[in-house]
């Protein structure tokens, strides 16, 4: 399994990781331009995220088809990515304390777009993303037709009660994380049993080590920004 570091914001971050000998990074289109191609291409393995999470977090809107050219321009400039991620629409949570509510949401992934082929191509490197909380029929569809996909929507879940000072709330969030991970393991078990393993399964934002360990047997890759905690929290 390949493990990518994410959250690489700029040239200083990239230089630090290169000096540390880190071989794998996952970046989004915004970070790509902040880092620069000259540094990006020095990493042995680079994956390109869609930027949908950054759009959701910073611009408070869904990614849409107008965001696709942002990725296309980068791919026209450099074709050295291990894989790249299809833009997806991430429903906004009701408040800053809520998880996104996917019930009744429209198609999360922007379906057939510039890179999508009519038939399965084992050489194709773009992947759709299924988010925890979406209808599992989308996961099953990606699993059967694409054979390459990512699992997202886990940022707040993996966080658990990490930022909670209230012990009761912390316990509830930590318990919820454990339950979700177990349900996801069961779901992936069923997918493998019914349809066999996929060619690529990337787990996004695997920042909680025990959860990442449980899910690792199903993944070909995952990413984490937990390395940034040393700067944020001094550990």
């Amino acid at each position: 399994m390949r493990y990518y570091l994410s959250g690489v914001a700029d040239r200083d971050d990239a230089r630090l990781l290169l000096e540390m000998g880190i071989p794998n990074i996952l970046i989004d289109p915004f970070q790509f331009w902040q880092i620069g191609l000259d540094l990006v291409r020095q990493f042995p393995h680079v994956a390109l995220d869609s930027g949908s999470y950054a759009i959701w977090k910073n611009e408070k809107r869904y990614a849409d088809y107008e965001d696709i050219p942002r990725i296309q321009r980068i791919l026209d400039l450099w074709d050295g990515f291990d894989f790249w991620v299809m833009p997806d629409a991430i429903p906004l949570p009701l408040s800053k304390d809520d998880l996104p509510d996917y019930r009744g949401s429209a198609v999360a992934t922007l379906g057939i777009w510039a890179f999508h082929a009519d038939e399965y191509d084992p050489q194709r490197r773009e992947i759709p993303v299924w988010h925890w909380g979406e209808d599992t029929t989308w996961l099953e569809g990606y699993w059967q037709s694409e054979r390459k996909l990512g699992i997202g929507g886990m940022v707040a879940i993996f966080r658990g009660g990490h930022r909670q000072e209230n012990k009761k709330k912390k316990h509830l969030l930590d318990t919820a994380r454990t339950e979700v991970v177990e349900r996801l393991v069961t779901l992936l078990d069923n997918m493998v049993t019914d349809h066999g393993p996929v060619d690529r399964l990337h787990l996004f934002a695997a920042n909680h080590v025990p959860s990442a360990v449980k899910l690792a047997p199903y993944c070909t890759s995952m990413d984490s920004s937990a390395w940034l905690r040393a700067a944020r929290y001094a550990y």
Side-chain angles (χ1 to χ4, degrees):
M1 187 193 69
R2 184 162 290 155
Y3 191 83
Y4 296 82
L5 295 192
S6 52
V8 188
D10 52 31
R11 294 179 68 83
D12 288 341
D13 282 355
R15 289 193 185 99
L16 173 64
L17 296 184
L18 286 169
E19 290 174 3
M20 293 172 62
I22 300 299
N24 314 320
I25 60 170
L26 180 141
I27 56 176
D28 67 27
F30 307 100
Q31 294 164 338
F32 175 88
W33 297 113
Q34 291 296 320
I35 297 168
L37 179 57
D38 60 320
L39 292 182
V40 168
R41 69 198 323 164
Q42 292 183 43
F43 289 90
H45 294 281
V46 184
L48 181 65
D49 202 352
S50 66
S52 297
Y53 180 75
I55 292 170
W56 167 71
K57 183 179 179 180
N58 300 324
E59 300 181 22
K60 304 305 179 187
R61 66 176 179 87
Y62 300 161
D64 57 36
Y65 285 98
E66 294 180 358
D67 295 301
I68 291 174
R70 179 183 291 118
I71 297 176
Q72 183 65 67
R73 284 193 295 272
I74 294 174
L75 296 177
D76 289 343
L77 182 64
W78 191 57
D79 189 35
F81 298 101
D82 290 354
F83 64 89
W84 54 86
V85 181
M86 292 183 181
D88 44 42
I90 304 177
L92 297 175
L94 300 178
S95 77
K96 66 178 182 179
D97 296 321
D98 292 329
L99 296 178
D101 184 358
Y102 295 101
R103 290 172 294 179
S105 66
V107 179
T109 298
L110 296 179
I112 298 174
W113 63 309
F115 308 110
H116 191 83
D118 292 331
E119 297 180 357
Y120 171 69
D121 177 2
Q123 302 302 315
R124 204 168 70 234
R125 284 175 286 162
E126 70 273 15
I127 65 171
V129 180
W130 179 81
H131 300 85
W132 176 259
E134 290 175 9
D135 195 310
T136 56
T137 55
W138 287 106
L139 174 63
E140 191 167 19
Y142 295 150
W143 201 285
Q144 291 181 274
S145 61
E146 300 294 334
R147 310 302 300 169
K148 301 177 183 180
L149 69 148
I151 293 181
M154 299 290 288
V155 173
I157 294 170
F158 282 146
R159 184 181 300 133
H162 174 68
R163 297 180 180 176
Q164 282 290 339
E165 295 182 1
N166 183 289
K167 291 184 178 180
K168 184 176 181 179
K169 288 184 178 180
K170 175 178 172 57
H171 174 73
L172 290 173
L173 290 170
D174 288 346
T175 301
R177 175 178 58 202
T178 300
E179 292 175 352
V180 167
V181 170
E182 292 299 332
R183 289 166 60 191
L184 182 54
V185 165
T186 299
L187 180 59
L188 295 177
D189 265 335
N190 292 338
M191 289 290 118
V192 173
T193 299
D194 294 344
H195 308 296
V198 288
D199 299 337
R200 184 190 299 281
L201 180 61
H202 182 86
L203 178 66
F204 289 92
N207 293 335
H208 182 245
V209 174
S211 298
V213 170
K214 288 184 178 180
L215 293 165
Y218 306 92
C219 301
T220 58
S221 61
M222 60 177 62
D223 71 87
S224 172
S225 61
W227 65 280
L228 294 167
R229 291 175 182 167
R232 292 174 179 167
Y233 307 113
Y235 67 82

